[in-house]
Amino acid sequence: MPLTAAAAAREILTGLHDVMASRGSTQAKLDKVVDLIAEAMKSEVCSIYLLRDNQLELFATHGLRKEAVHLTRLAMGEGLVGMIAEEGRILNLAEAASHPQFVYRPETGEERYHSFAGVPIVRLESPVGVLAVQHAESRRYEEVEIEALQTVAMVLSEMIAAARLVDGARRGRVRSGGPLRLSGLKLVTGMAKGEAVFHQPRVVIEHTVAEDTEAERARVYDAFRRMREQIDAMAKEAEFGTVGEHQEILAAYRMFAYDEGWGRRINEAIDSGLTAEAAIERVQQRTRSRMREIDDPLLQERMHDLEDLSNRLLRIVSGRMGTAAQTGLTRDTVLIARNLGPAELLEYDRRRLKAVLLEEGSLTAHMTIVARAIGVPVVGRLQDIRHSVNEREMILVDGDNGSVIIRPTRSLASGFDHRMALSQKRRAQFAAVRSLPAITRDGLEVSVMVNAGLAEDAAALELTGADGIGLFRTEFQFLVSATLPGRERQQRLYSKVLDSAGDRPVTFRTLDIGGDKALPYLADAKDEAENPAMGWRALRLSLDRSTLMKAQARALIEASGGRVLRVMFPMISEPWEYEEARALIEEQIAWARKSKRKLPARVEFGAMLEVPSLAEMLDQLLPRVDFLSIGTNDLTQFLFAADRADPRLAERYDWLSPAILRFLKRVLDAARAADVPVRLCGEMGGRPLETMALIGIGAENFSITPAAVGPVKAMVRSLDASAVRQRLEQLLSRPPRNLRKALTDWARKHSVAVS
Ligand code: PEP
Ligand code: MG
């Protein structure tokens, strides 16, 4: 036997390279390949089984009876060969016939052989065949021999895929076989189906055998260097809290990126004659199959980190760094990612993007808010989703229940279609309610507006049935731009929004950047401290960067010429911040007057209450504002001291908690006493049960996500406002342990349409 795996594989690979380059039918090539491997490994038998029509068919053999070729077929999971393919594992047996899975096929004449070793032939992480060797004598194969077989199997997979010999070779086959159901956290409701697309696509390896080993080695060195630079940069940013990845993931990335063993193994694979891409993949396959034997969840998690990194290295080495958004979507798509930022989401073609599945994600992260605004269902916290599905496999997404079905059977798919039709019917019913007034059974008029951030949202205002735009998030324009939008671009957007809103009021919120809305081109916004949500963001940043705010003020003033300008400021912690912001806008109005520009007919100033400290200063603030807007997303994160973007806290605290409702009630009461209108504009107000509770503490004005207008109006129209107020008074004076349940029971008993 040759001394090293690399030498053994190299000898075979050189031969394979010639075979692949030669003329002739694929069958003839496969026949040559088995002869070549048998000879190099001094093996009496070498056989190749390939997956065709869901069966593993003997395609070529050296040593077994030739008559058995294309005749012997095994189902997935059947016999030793079926077991290797189904489980994607290696078998190395001194005595094949004594293995419980062994099945004897007389036509092959294999009874003479005792030892058996087989490895899966894998394409896109899924087995598409098996390469096996057999010996007459009874012995276990050495590790180097198995490794050589694996390397050869990898090259074979390229050849087989190129010849399109197997099912699904172009697509990747089901790894675990049948359909798979996973449950996660529902972030944005709605049902959808489509093909799985990875936000960071996997690289399909096209060439496995190297022409020039030294050149491949140089490519890997270079890729390693670039990968380390990237990881170091990410880790540095994470110290400043501006990237989404968690510190522990980055720590693991760094550990692997600098792991010498990993680099050495890739180098060895290159020595055996593989290209840089194939060597990275080959090492990854080996690690994968080793890890599969170890049943330790912690290690499995680390394994995923290594997979991520390995994919990153592959993308670097093959020069395919773009996301799926850059490649473009071609069919109805279910996008899969570990996590996603709002700007990344907005890069996708909305006609094709049907749903998003995340391993992380939380209810009030801005990516979730954006997805909700554009009507894309999202399920989060789907552990392992990226490793449970192959690219382009069908996925059914039930965002209403937070569940997904991967690779559905026909009956699962038809059941889903039925539920989807029902859900659409319900939506249609809500759509009918959308245009009706939001009046409670006892005559309380509730104002329902929508949150928006893009020109399209404003254009669709008519369809939503809302009374106006209660919160226009101006930073969305910044998030979707590659460069800082100048005053004119901003002005064009604001004019368009006001034009499409017509008579309906629009409230613009000045820039709220920073936190989880970092702008890559605004370098200073990245110099964040440890906790970006509490950092230099929103109004804090705008007041310090007054040029930015002045440009926005001018854009708003000019766009509102002859109309009412409603403007509010985010993240006010103390009244003086409001005063400064207001003064800045007033200065710009004075400038516009002096320069004889067309002025707004009237300006209304509002403050957002989303930092708890401001609630203590309402006596000072309320006389100075025209309206108040409560941002429950930030407010609750600060009240509970719970990061709104942290998936681990996503379900820990409930909006329907006595603490939040009591707090909000105090603010609502104070504003009423001062005769200042209040609008609730966080995500909380768009959830019928929560909206019901908010009406119960005296809220009457809401600005919610457009898709919630129908359900919220339906709830309002089925509600008796005075009854719910009474109930809330009782519940908040002596809060039950589970307020959500108490409210759900009450709603059910009083036939309030909350679900
Ligand atoms: C909020 O904090 O509730 C809010 C409406 O603003 P944003 O979600 O954009 O921070
Ligand atoms: Mg906010």
Side-chain angles (χ1 to χ4, degrees), residues 598-668:
K598 193 168 178 193
L599 296 176
R602 188 174 80 241
V603 185
E604 291 183 8
F605 290 99
M608 280 195 80
L609 191 143
E610 39 186 2
V611 180
S613 60
L614 197 62
E616 290 300 326
M617 302 305 289
L618 288 177
D619 57 328
Q620 306 293 305
L621 181 77
L622 289 172
R624 296 282 302 145
V625 300
D626 296 305
F627 61 93
L628 200 64
S629 181
I630 305 183
T632 50
N633 301 335
D634 277 312
L635 183 63
T636 48
Q637 85 165 335
F638 297 133
L639 271 180
F640 280 130
D643 186 345
R644 66 194 261 188
D646 190 331
R648 292 164 298 191
L649 299 177
E651 284 172 301
R652 194 174 183 108
Y653 305 107
D654 195 344
W655 273 319
L656 290 176
S657 79
I660 290 180
L661 292 174
R662 281 181 177 178
F663 185 97
L664 292 174
K665 186 165 188 314
R666 276 203 296 134
V667 177
L668 288 164

Side-chain angles (χ1 to χ4, degrees), residues 366 369 471 473 509 517 610 631-634 644 681-682:
H366 278 96
I369 292 174
L471 161 65
R473 292 181 163 105
R509 172 175 76 183
K517 290 180 282 195
E610 39 186 2
T632 50
N633 301 335
D634 277 312
R644 66 194 261 188
C681 66

